[in-house]
Amino acid sequence: MKVLVIGGGGRCHAIVDALGRSPRVTKIWCAPGNAGIARQAECVPLRDTDVEGLLAFARREGADLTVVGPESALAAGIVDAFRAAGLRIFGPTQAAARIETSKRFAKELMLRYAVPTAAYRVFSDYGEAADYVRSQPLPAVLKYDGLAAGKGVVIARTPGEADAALRDMLLDDRFGHGQVVVEEFMEGPEFSLMCFVAGRRVVPMALAQDHKRAYDGDRGPNTGGMGACSPLPFITPEEERWAVEHVMQPVADALADEGCPFTGVLYGGLMRTRDGIRVVEFNARFGDPETEVVLPRLESDFFEACMAVAEGREPGPLRWRDEATLGIVLASEGYPGPCEKGAEIRGAEDTGALVYHMGTALRDGRLVTAGGRVLIVVGRGATLAEARDRALEAAGRIGCDRLFYRRDIGAQALGGKKLLPLRETD
Ligand code: AMP
Ligand code: GLY
């Protein structure tokens, strides 16, 4: 079987790696891929939103399956285009992907189908939004309605911060013209529940936790994710079952009822609050960096699971290795702000751990940094503590003085830290 993977970060590297373990997969292309992926797949210089180009490529080369990584490709309608052309593709249609691409759509669906989430109001007028926010307790949770690369959420702790954010979102059109969802503030530990979904069939994957803040102790700016770990001892099997039954299954059913059945990975960003488990957000794809710690634990054939979903069949049951994984992201100095690229990286091949490339390139045969997040080093062990120690040791072996990383990934799961919410601002 020949598989085309769309995307080029650490998540796609983990997807390519997992596909490569399947005895049925004989060829993997990745568009556009990166320097690390190039060792395990043939990279194709096509952008992930170049629907026409990707479709022409898949047709010409006879790809048996296409697996979509990033939301940008989903939002561009890649699944609709491939399906219309009769090609097998793993991912939701543009209409089903609204569960991620439109915060308003997601909120209205949850309200209609009684899926537990924070109370909310939607505004497009700056004055009305500002009046409403002033009448509510702080902190205020403000979410731009649309794709904003994870940067469209502001947790404002002062009236000044709230006003600045509303101006940014509704007056200055920083992300384009849109609406703002104002939400009730929730508190509690967060966790990610990714499920394979084929219409009404929902098969959960192992739980994982992302670490969004840039620095140790959950300080600093919000990022695309600085590390992840799996499993999560602080979530009980009963809580996990509850989340599948009361959140993931009802949403899959709701999307089917609304005429846009979901196929692909439905990602629940969940929080255990005092009042029970609540939805923070949904994504319509594999999480990043959760995928980098979850897929290495999958014992079942990943290709078979993706193929089943793409054909509308049940992908389960899935078997998971009884081991822990913990991934540490090495990011360029300055990330998530502007950062320098092109710094040489040494020793990424022999760390003794799994290393997935997030933003790297080859220059004159040498590996160099090519993005904000550069590598993720994944340690595995019988326990999370062992996985963490291995990941830290491996991260320390990578030679590059322009990279930084967090040393406390997994602190909450390891129980070394009170189960405080991961805060947006200090
Ligand atoms: P989102 O893009 O919706 O996942 O939001 C990004 C981050 O903001 C989440 O991972 C949470 O840490 C935080 N967050 C979002 N919504 C809320 C909320 N209603 N209450 C508290 N924190 C939130
Ligand atoms: N880890 C959060 C995301 O993938 O959006």
Side-chain angles (χ1 to χ4, degrees), residues 191 193 204-207 231-246 270 272 277 297 322:
F191 60 103
L193 173 55
M205 294 184 225
L207 292 179
L232 302 180
F234 63 85
I235 300 293
T236 65
E238 291 72 37
E239 286 170 326
E240 189 178 343
R241 265 198 298 279
W242 192 95
V244 173
E245 250 170 60
H246 293 88
L270 309 177
R272 188 179 64 204
I277 290 168
R297 295 190 55 216
D322 190 15

Side-chain angles (χ1 to χ4, degrees), residues 103 107 117-119 139 141-143 150-155 157 183-188 190 210 212-213 222 267 269-271 279-283 421-424:
K103 299 258 183 215
K107 279 301 209 181
T117 188
V141 181
L142 311 171
K143 301 189 176 185
K151 286 158 198 142
V153 177
V154 173
I155 307 226
R157 286 169 195 279
E183 263 186 33
E184 166 201 2
F185 178 73
M186 304 187 291
E187 275 182 291
E190 288 183 59
D210 187 5
K212 293 214 183 247
R213 301 292 293 274
N222 217 21
Y267 165 119
L270 309 177
M271 191 187 271
V279 175
V280 178
E281 65 161 347
F282 283 110
N283 291 322
L422 306 173
R423 292 185 186 283
E424 279 296 285

Side-chain angles (χ1 to χ4, degrees), residues 1 32 45 83-84 96 107 123 126 143 145 166 170 186 229 243 252 280 304 309 370 393 404:
M1 289 275 156
R83 291 238 184 105
K107 279 301 209 181
F123 297 93
Y126 162 76
K143 301 189 176 185
D145 186 32
L166 285 177
L170 290 174
M186 304 187 291
C229 60
V280 178
E304 296 293 354
V309 170
E393 201 187 309
F404 76 97

Side-chain angles (χ1 to χ4, degrees), residues 11 100 192 210 212 224 267 281 283 285-290:
R11 166 182 51 201
E100 168 169 7
S192 308
D210 187 5
K212 293 214 183 247
Y267 165 119
E281 65 161 347
N283 291 322
R285 51 164 175 85
F286 284 104
D288 192 1
E290 289 93 332

Side-chain angles (χ1 to χ4, degrees), residues 85-136:
L87 296 185
R88 264 193 225 97
I89 186 161
F90 178 89
T93 59
Q94 213 171 28
R98 283 179 297 167
I99 196 75
E100 168 169 7
T101 57
S102 166
K103 299 258 183 215
R104 180 177 190 168
F105 174 83
K107 279 301 209 181
E108 284 175 355
L109 194 89
M110 285 188 265
L111 188 69
R112 252 196 328 277
Y113 291 85
V115 174
T117 188
Y120 75 103
R121 294 269 304 265
V122 183
F123 297 93
S124 48
D125 179 75
Y126 162 76
E128 283 173 24
D131 283 347
Y132 176 74
V133 167
R134 269 194 293 274
S135 74
Q136 296 295 308

